[in-house]
Amino acid sequence: MNRTAGVMKMHWHDKFIWIYTPWIILLFSFVVNLIIGIFTGGKEDFNTGGIISIFIYMFICSMVILGQTFPFALGMNVRRTDFFVGTSVMGLLVCAASGVILFLLSILEKLTDGWGVHLHYFNIPFINHISSFARFGIYFIVLVHMFFLGLVISSVYRRYKRSGMFVLSTVIFICSSITSFVLTYYGMWLDLFSWFSRHYMELFFWMAPVAILYALLSYGMLRRATV
């Protein structure tokens, strides 16, 4: 437990990557969109996808963090299991805190009628009909999913180096190409989009078990990874 706490403390020293950077990016994007809303007069609803930046950053953050801290931690005689647990707990805490802040900002945005200019930035329109708890759950699940997705990709590199990344990239490219070809050949793109529009809520919550799978794969690879 002490070693796991030590790993979390190590991560906490790098607050700029974990905390400051994603919110600087997100709030800068928000201010830009708010200025645009003010200049346009706020007469119509202004929907923006700027909130996605924090989810993308969480994906990048986990890859960067693993690359920067894993060799250092092993050099300090930290066990791979303790490193994985400490990093995962740190990631979950950051995702939970970020989810709470996003949720509170979405509530404030709704109360102020889109910051007075009908701007929909934190308050995503297509999930407005669900409960407050479910909205927080979606923010949290997507953040966790992106965190462990980045972690498992970085773990592939740590375990198998460039050859592993080459194989992974090739498999993804082949699978996506075959899928695209089949959907185009049989004219199934509209059916796919229609299915997504009906089941998008279920897809959000299916990200949770997929994130657990990413975590297990990451753990398995890091246990055998070398510096």
Side-chain angles (χ1 to χ4, degrees), residues 65-75 80 83 158 222 225-227:
I65 287 295
L66 183 59
Q68 289 183 344
T69 60
F70 184 70
F72 174 77
L74 263 59
R80 289 169 172 80
F83 175 82
R158 282 290 150 193
L222 288 179
T226 58
V227 178

Side-chain angles (χ1 to χ4, degrees), residues 50-122:
I51 193 175
I52 198 175
S53 63
I54 196 168
F55 300 112
I56 294 175
Y57 181 85
M58 191 57 64
F59 166 72
I60 297 172
C61 174
S62 59
M63 291 195 293
V64 172
I65 287 295
L66 183 59
Q68 289 183 344
T69 60
F70 184 70
F72 174 77
L74 263 59
M76 298 297 291
N77 294 321
V78 175
R79 294 189 311 167
R80 289 169 172 80
T81 298
D82 294 325
F83 175 82
F84 173 79
V85 174
T87 302
S88 298
V89 173
M90 183 69 181
L92 290 172
L93 290 175
V94 171
C95 289
S98 299
V100 169
I101 295 173
L102 289 174
F103 170 70
L104 293 176
L105 288 172
S106 71
I107 296 296
L108 183 59
E109 182 173 279
K110 192 171 184 178
L111 293 175
T112 58
D113 194 20
W115 313 101
V117 293
H118 300 287
L119 171 63
H120 297 289
Y121 191 91
F122 300 102

Side-chain angles (χ1 to χ4, degrees), residues 97-220:
S98 299
V100 169
I101 295 173
L102 289 174
F103 170 70
L104 293 176
L105 288 172
S106 71
I107 296 296
L108 183 59
E109 182 173 279
K110 192 171 184 178
L111 293 175
T112 58
D113 194 20
W115 313 101
V117 293
H118 300 287
L119 171 63
H120 297 289
Y121 191 91
F122 300 102
N123 193 28
I124 304 173
F126 63 84
I127 61 172
N128 273 345
H129 63 285
I130 64 177
S131 67
S132 299
F133 180 77
R135 267 188 292 159
F136 163 73
I138 287 176
Y139 292 138
F140 177 67
I141 289 171
V142 176
L143 285 166
V144 170
H145 179 270
M146 297 302 288
F147 175 80
F148 282 109
L149 175 59
L151 198 67
V152 73
I153 292 175
S154 188
S155 297
V156 170
Y157 178 78
R158 282 290 150 193
R159 176 65 179 89
Y160 301 106
K161 306 302 180 184
R162 293 182 180 179
S163 59
M165 292 302 297
F166 176 77
V167 171
L168 177 62
S169 301
T170 301
V171 170
I172 292 175
F173 175 76
I174 292 174
C175 291
S176 60
S177 297
I178 293 174
T179 302
S180 179
F181 172 78
V182 171
L183 291 174
T184 301
Y185 184 81
Y186 290 101
M188 299 172 60
W189 284 107
L190 290 178
D191 293 334
L192 179 64
F193 293 144
S194 177
W195 186 88
F196 278 136
S197 67
R198 296 194 305 271
H199 300 281
Y200 65 90
M201 290 301 301
E202 292 89 339
L203 292 175
F204 276 127
F205 291 104
W206 270 106
M207 287 184 178
V210 174
I212 294 174
L213 176 61
Y214 291 155
L216 293 174
L217 291 173
S218 299
Y219 176 65

